[in-house]
Amino acid sequence: MAVHWADVYAEKIIREKGEKDPYVCASGITPSGTVHIGNFREIISVELVVRALKELRRNVRFIYSWDDYDVFRKVPKNMEDKQTLEQYLKKPITLVPDTTGRWANYAEANEKDLEALLHQVGVDPVYRYQAEKYRNSEYAEGIRTALKERDTIRDILNKHRTQPLAEDWYPVSVFCTSCNKNTTRQLGWDGNYRLSYACDSCGNEETVDLRNTAAVKLPWRVDWPMRWEYEGVDFEPAGKDHHSEGGSFDTAREISREVYGYQAPVTFQYDFVRIKGRGGKISSSSGEVVGLSDVLEIYQPEIIRYLFAGTRPNSEFAISFDLDVLKIYEDYDRCERIYFGKETVSEKRREKERRIYELSQVGEVPAAMPYQLPFRHLCNLLQIHDGDVNGVLERISEIEAQQRPRLEQRAQCAWNWITTFAPESFRFSLRSPDAAPLELEKEEKQAVDETIGVLENFQLSDDESADEKRLGEALYSVPESAGLDGKSYFKLMYRVLIEKDRGPRLAGFLLTTGLERVLRILSVYR
Ligand SMILES: [Zn+2]
């Protein structure tokens, strides 16, 4: 019995579609704006099922379709140069310029940005660009079939419409070849490949041939089932909006069967992804949209995969940017320890965590357990060393060369998180040894003095956790002998070290900072 949903769906595809070579798994979107992390859920869900199918020794073609022959309906909020862009409304998005000047057009800018990021998280589908397909008239037969069956299509669509489609409705939309806008009316069809239209914007009237024109496109609800048949799609999930009653999946299923003689792919509905704890922080590149690039700032690629692989697609979950980030990293590290048998759990849990861990890897599963550097500890180290990623990693002798890139990534994420999203209570920076001493009460001064004594006499060993325990014990008697209660003592130490009332656990913090450095900071109270 499969323990993971991706395996369950892989088995379902084989069962329902029969043996095939290859199985076609599809996903797609209109690149009409920055692709947000909710859309990424569809892509990664398909990728996980693709992996599961491959592990069952089946050939798979994973298609990601950019619906870039869609019309530019509105200028997204986060775009600059809105006036220039408004001239392109009603035209295909591939004709809209990229105002950043980096790419040939607006659609391509959104496409290439995401493709590069998808590769980083181990997602490498075959990309299909619909503008190219339509421009090469590859769908001529599919469009002709739709025109032939236009009554059937209209009846199917009308079942779910309050305003029925007119008798003379055509299941196509035409981009005028003169002004490129879709402001056209169909005038007639010869029953075969030739279609006539008139443009309301520029007055152009023309007859085009489906076999050599780029002008004619199917509307979404017909385009989708046509492409299922064209590509032989076996699996394609969709979001809630498409999976609602009478939504586009329902009508596509019917059109696919009745018009194209093709059984709709196996599917599931995936739920929304919420964003938690970003406060008012809006990324400059993507406006209000939280995209994959924003999540990669805080989470390593395998941890992003872990979030999606570890949640059933039909349940909503949140990607956190607040303190929960620490917990998510801890959960992932635990999952890794369970995978490598370093932490014991029930057999059932172990099996589940093992599978999630495998699916979370960008490449091969590591042969041995990687060196774990807890995210929380990394946050402390980086704050002690002012964000010096290399400096911090160089101090840790256990790190092997091949593990360095992953740890660098983690350290970068930790520093990004500290400097952008970590709550104020979590942030600190060490006082400079040159800073003027804080005013202390007599008892406080004595406590600092005794602490200095303890630290000067402390002998480090090779065992960090034993050192931490010993140092904790050595400091235990300091407050009492100075006439302070324990709570005031800790508060005092954090004040003199980081000018805060609280901080990481004291003994560990002193050791992590380095006793020499601590002594230099404290020396002003001598
Ligand atoms: Zn026109």
Side-chain angles (χ1 to χ4, degrees):
M1 270 298 281
V3 292
H4 194 270
W5 59 263
D7 299 308
V8 171
Y9 275 96
E11 288 171 4
K12 185 174 175 176
I13 292 162
I14 296 172
R15 201 168 56 240
E16 291 189 10
K17 290 292 180 174
E19 283 302 332
K20 277 191 73 183
D21 185 11
Y23 287 95
V24 179
C25 298
S27 175
I29 195 179
T30 301
S32 60
T34 308
V35 179
H36 64 78
I37 195 69
N39 302 124
F40 173 69
R41 188 168 203 178
E42 173 171 327
I43 314 171
I44 187 72
S45 297
V46 177
E47 201 270 346
L48 295 169
V49 173
V50 166
R51 278 201 194 189
L53 272 169
K54 285 182 176 167
E55 285 167 26
L56 292 170
R57 295 163 189 265
R58 301 307 199 280
N59 283 324
V60 187
R61 184 185 298 139
F62 176 12
I63 297 175
Y64 189 74
S65 180
W66 285 114
D67 296 342
D68 53 9
Y69 210 39
D70 284 4
V71 65
F72 189 52
R73 285 193 186 85
K74 61 172 197 221
V75 180
K77 274 190 231 158
N78 61 324
M79 298 288 293
E80 284 168 32
D81 210 354
K82 289 200 173 54
Q83 270 185 329
T84 310
L85 291 172
E86 271 164 20
Q87 303 164 31
Y88 294 90
L89 293 171
K90 297 187 162 55
K91 297 182 182 182
I93 46 180
T94 35
L95 290 184
V96 182
D98 173 22
T99 46
T100 69
R102 292 176 308 142
W103 298 99
N105 61 65
Y106 170 70
E108 195 175 306
N110 288 319
E111 290 165 0
K112 297 301 169 197
D113 281 351
L114 188 73
E115 287 174 15
L117 295 173
L118 287 178
H119 177 71
Q120 282 182 41
V121 292
V123 178
D124 290 292
V126 177
Y127 292 102
R128 292 269 194 271
Y129 305 93
Q130 294 307 323
E132 198 180 301
K133 293 271 181 194
Y134 273 107
R135 288 205 179 109
N136 294 336
S137 308
E138 286 186 44
Y139 299 139
E141 296 304 326
I143 298 171
R144 188 174 67 146
T145 303
L147 286 167
K148 277 188 171 161
E149 298 292 333
R150 68 172 167 146
D151 292 341
T152 313
I153 294 173
R154 189 185 50 230
D155 290 348
I156 292 169
L157 295 180
N158 276 346
K159 281 196 275 184
H160 306 284
R161 291 175 66 95
T162 39
Q163 187 83 42
L165 295 161
E167 279 297 305
D168 62 350
W169 176 80
Y170 283 84
V172 290
S173 74
V174 178
F175 286 115
C176 169
T177 63
S178 174
C179 73
N180 295 314
K181 292 185 179 172
N182 70 345
T183 49
T184 54
R185 287 169 286 126
Q186 283 76 56
L187 300 175
W189 170 57
D190 73 348
N192 207 8
Y193 292 104
R194 292 166 70 79
L195 187 78
S196 307
Y197 72 90
C199 175
D200 293 335
S201 294
C202 72
N204 181 34
E205 274 194 32
E206 194 182 8
T207 299
V208 290
D209 188 315
L210 297 177
R211 291 164 298 184
N212 56 33
T213 185
V216 186
K217 180 182 183 305
L218 293 172
W220 163 244
R221 282 184 185 244
V222 187
D223 175 72
W224 202 13
M226 181 276 292
R227 287 195 275 119
W228 285 345
E229 192 256 342
Y230 182 85
E231 300 280 4
V233 176
D234 299 300
F235 172 64
E236 182 164 4
K240 271 184 158 172
D241 40 345
H242 296 302
H243 264 302
S244 57
E245 177 78 30
S248 56
F249 201 97
D250 271 1
T251 56
R253 188 198 305 275
E254 228 176 309
I255 291 170
S256 185
R257 190 180 58 227
E258 301 299 323
V259 174
Y260 293 102
Y262 189 80
Q263 285 298 329
V266 172
T267 187
F268 59 66
Q269 172 185 309
Y270 59 89
D271 210 318
F272 297 122
V273 176
R274 282 180 299 115
I275 297 298
K276 184 167 160 281
R278 276 180 78 87
K281 292 169 189 104
I282 284 167
S283 98
S284 55
S285 64
S286 55
E288 289 171 6
V289 179
V290 175
L292 184 54
S293 62
D294 300 304
V295 183
L296 276 165
E297 296 269 306
I298 306 299
Y299 290 104
Q300 286 174 271
E302 54 268 34
I303 295 179
I304 297 179
R305 294 184 61 96
Y306 169 79
L307 287 170
F308 287 90
T311 316
R312 294 190 65 83
N314 59 358
S315 38
E316 190 180 300
F317 77 102
I319 295 187
S320 299
F321 288 80
D322 56 16
L323 270 179
D324 283 355
V325 171
L326 299 171
K327 184 180 179 303
I328 290 163
Y329 271 91
E330 278 162 18
D331 287 349
Y332 176 83
D333 287 352
R334 180 176 305 117
C335 178
E336 185 168 73
R337 290 194 299 276
I338 293 169
Y339 181 88
F340 287 101
K342 310 276 180 198
E343 197 167 316
T344 342
V345 288
S346 73
E347 183 54 30
K348 198 177 159 203
R349 163 108 188 262
R350 196 176 88 101
E351 239 185 286
K352 201 175 149 219
E353 297 267 350
R354 277 181 63 96
R355 187 63 180 137
I356 291 172
Y357 184 75
E358 285 170 359
L359 290 170
S360 303
Q361 302 312 302
V362 171
E364 297 282 301
V365 176
M369 189 168 102
Y371 177 74
Q372 289 195 341
L373 186 50
F375 192 81
R376 181 189 288 270
H377 184 52
L378 204 39
C379 288
N380 290 339
L381 285 173
L382 285 164
Q383 295 192 86
I384 290 165
H385 299 288
D386 299 318
D388 178 6
V389 168
N390 282 320
V392 162
L393 296 179
E394 263 153 35
R395 280 160 202 269
I396 305 169
S397 54
E398 293 98 323
I399 299 176
E400 290 167 26
Q402 80 271 16
Q403 296 179 337
R404 182 74 190 248
R406 258 165 67 130
L407 291 171
E408 269 172 30
Q409 235 172 17
R410 179 175 284 213
Q412 198 52 59
C413 287
W415 189 242
N416 291 344
W417 182 69
I418 285 292
T419 50
T420 321
F421 298 108
E424 188 48 41
S425 59
F426 197 85
R427 293 187 210 183
F428 65 82
S429 61
L430 286 171
R431 278 187 60 118
S432 158
D434 305 325
L438 302 175
E439 286 218 18
L440 301 183
E441 304 288 334
K442 189 165 152 275
E443 294 83 2
E444 293 175 331
K445 224 175 154 303
Q446 194 191 332
V448 170
D449 222 49
E450 289 192 25
T451 305
I452 292 172
V454 168
L455 298 181
E456 279 175 340
N457 293 314
F458 191 78
Q459 299 293 322
L460 290 169
S461 75
D462 287 340
D463 184 341
E464 272 175 53
S465 66
D467 281 355
E468 187 176 335
K469 193 157 172 267
R470 267 194 310 123
L471 182 58
E473 285 162 3
L475 292 171
Y476 189 76
S477 59
V478 171
E480 204 186 329
S481 104
L484 287 175
D485 60 71
K487 209 172 148 195
S488 314
Y489 172 66
F490 285 117
K491 210 165 150 179
L492 164 70
M493 289 310 295
Y494 295 124
R495 262 171 62 217
V496 295
L497 291 170
I498 56 177
E499 280 185 62
K500 293 215 154 200
D501 289 341
R502 306 179 55 172
R505 280 216 309 249
L506 188 62
F509 180 56
L510 297 174
L511 290 165
T512 308
T513 305
L515 298 185
E516 255 176 63
R517 190 157 171 208
V518 172
L519 285 167
R520 275 204 305 280
I521 298 169
L522 299 183
S523 64
V524 289
Y525 299 98
R526 264 264 146 100

